[in-house]
Amino acid sequence: MSGLDDFRAEVRAWCRDHIPQDWRASQTGVSDDEFVRFQKEWFAELHSAGYAVPHWPAEWGGGLRTRGAKGPMSVEHQVVLYQELAAHDAPRLVLAFVGIHHAASTLLVAGTDEQRRRHLPAILDGEIWVQGFSEPEAGSDLAALRTTARREGEEFVVSGQKLWASGGLHADWCLLLARTDPEAPKRKGISYFLLDMTSPGIDVRPIRNAVGDSHFCEIFLDDVRIPAANLIGPENEGWQVAQATLGAERGMTMLELAERLGNAGFQWLVQCADVDDPIVADRLAQFEAELTGLRGMCRRIVEDGPSGPADPSVVKLYYSELLQRLTDFGAEIGGPEAHTVVAKPMSSGWESGSWVLDFVGSWEWTIPGGASEIQRTIIAERGLGLPREPSVA
């Protein structure tokens, strides 16, 4: 057997022994406290096996550290890991997602040594993060944000509102963008902060969505004080730092999500389909071809890096709209039963097999990290070199 074959056999054996067999039933309709408890226990289980943060450097607890690796787990090994976790219907790391991907990538790229020492081990111990980027008037046009941060000695005093903050109700820390120079051009006067969510002046309010979940939140900030030591990167240059965070959302995270969709999601679809129906079989073949393309693109970008400035946007757009079409088809062929399901497991992926709820939820993915319209603009202007859209200002 090759090294990859050995690793696949290892992961399969681990999945059989450690994935809770009843987690879907036990995680449907549970309280927030039970959801948080389960998520933290599952993260600890994955971390103890070396599977929670395979993309991190070994010095911070990532990679195949039990095998003497010096860097992150190879892309080939990560693909095998995500394939097997999906094939064995493992719960997703919903609450840890922002911490292990967005916060970690930001800290590794732009954080100080002290910030990395403080937060990277804490994330592995279960520290939960939320992303405080979008605002009521600054969603797709993130640079239009109005939350302000004025400097007072060795602190910044922050006021404003953040919206669509996934997991904000349970978060310990927040990746926060705020305007520190209101006179500067809008992309030049933004700073990037690490915000302790226990700070006085923070009010987190859950938002109930169309399927009854409340993982979205509003965050209100009223003269919240942030130590200057929690500034990430230089003052007024947070826009550049934020690109590392958004790059993680459109890059490395897509490797896992693509494997989930190509394994668990597609298998759920096949199981509920009448494969003897030629029209259904043709659609399944189309989806399989599209999924193969998505997974190949994600692997190439992670292995070799983007070949063009618009590559991450291509992957994000492709994934989100493929997810939408696949779940829509699941709702179409799922029959009346699919339309009577009123709850899905809270620790499942975007493709849980509760097709109508999955389809409604899939629309979320065409918005965060840059709406599909924004991704198309990036692809047109940066990827194809087309003229910039005229400003409406």
Side-chain angles (χ1 to χ4, degrees), residues 55-57 59-60 99-113 115-117 120 123 175 192 194 231-234 237-249 252:
H55 56 293
W56 284 24
E59 65 185 290
W60 293 110
I100 64 177
H101 291 295
H102 305 166
S105 66
T106 302
L107 289 164
L108 289 168
V109 170
T112 65
D113 289 340
Q115 289 167 345
R116 285 191 281 266
R117 287 194 299 268
L120 292 175
I123 290 171
L175 300 171
Y192 199 124
L194 307 178
L231 182 68
I232 290 274
E237 294 184 20
W239 180 259
Q240 289 74 22
V241 179
Q243 302 316 301
T245 305
L246 294 172
E249 188 167 6
M252 181 62 75

Side-chain angles (χ1 to χ4, degrees), residues 13 24 26 33 50 83 86 90 132-133 156 158 173 210 241 281 283 301 326 346 348 380 383:
R24 285 185 169 272
S26 65
D33 288 344
Q83 284 176 345
F133 282 18
F156 288 86
V158 182
W173 285 81
V241 179
R283 290 290 298 279
I301 287 177
L326 190 145
M346 292 183 69
S348 67

Side-chain angles (χ1 to χ4, degrees), residues 134-383:
S134 296
E135 299 183 4
E137 301 299 327
S140 295
D141 184 13
L142 183 58
L145 62 87
R146 298 180 180 178
T147 294
T148 61
R150 68 179 188 276
R151 186 150 192 165
E152 292 187 359
E154 292 303 308
E155 292 182 319
F156 288 86
V157 182
V158 182
S159 294
Q161 178 186 358
K162 295 297 177 177
L163 196 59
W164 313 125
S166 299
L169 199 61
H170 312 298
D172 302 303
W173 285 81
C174 175
L175 300 171
L176 182 76
L177 291 181
R179 189 165 300 284
T180 42
D181 184 354
E183 303 302 321
K186 63 182 185 179
R187 288 180 175 81
K188 299 295 185 181
I190 295 172
S191 295
Y192 199 124
F193 299 94
L194 307 178
L195 170 63
D196 184 346
M197 290 296 286
T198 64
S199 304
I202 298 177
D203 182 16
V204 181
R205 303 177 190 176
I207 302 171
R208 188 168 295 277
N209 65 18
V211 299
D213 296 334
S214 298
H215 62 273
F216 288 138
C217 293
E218 297 175 279
I219 301 176
F220 294 89
L221 306 156
D222 185 9
D223 286 345
V224 178
R225 292 185 173 273
I226 302 178
N230 287 6
L231 182 68
I232 290 274
E235 186 175 342
N236 295 324
E237 294 184 20
W239 180 259
Q240 289 74 22
V241 179
Q243 302 316 301
T245 305
L246 294 172
E249 188 167 6
R250 299 168 189 162
M252 181 62 75
T253 60
M254 287 297 159
L255 186 65
E256 176 190 357
L257 293 172
E259 292 301 328
R260 281 270 179 181
L261 189 60
N263 286 277
F266 185 66
Q267 293 308 314
W268 281 112
L269 191 65
V270 171
Q271 288 175 23
C272 76
D274 178 6
V275 295
D276 293 327
D277 184 322
I279 296 177
V280 171
D282 183 64
R283 290 290 298 279
L284 290 175
Q286 292 179 38
F287 282 127
E288 188 170 24
E290 289 185 89
L291 288 164
T292 300
L294 172 66
R295 293 160 70 187
M297 279 198 301
C298 290
R299 289 186 63 171
R300 180 184 59 77
I301 287 177
V302 173
E303 284 180 319
D304 304 329
S307 60
D311 282 8
S313 291
V314 172
V315 170
K316 197 273 182 180
L317 178 67
Y318 189 5
Y319 169 81
S320 59
E321 297 196 350
L322 177 55
L323 172 68
Q324 203 170 76
R325 292 195 303 275
L326 190 145
T327 54
D328 184 21
F329 186 60
E332 181 181 343
I333 66 176
E337 183 179 351
H339 293 260
T340 58
V341 176
V342 296
K344 59 185 287 187
M346 292 183 69
S347 295
S348 67
W350 298 97
E351 56 294 302
S352 71
S354 302
W355 292 114
V356 173
L357 299 182
D358 288 341
F359 176 57
V360 173
S362 72
W363 288 81
E364 297 173 13
W365 254 101
T366 62
I367 300 172
S372 291
E373 291 78 9
I374 296 297
Q375 304 305 332
R376 286 186 166 85
T377 298
I378 292 173
I379 294 167
E381 295 177 358
R382 301 181 192 173

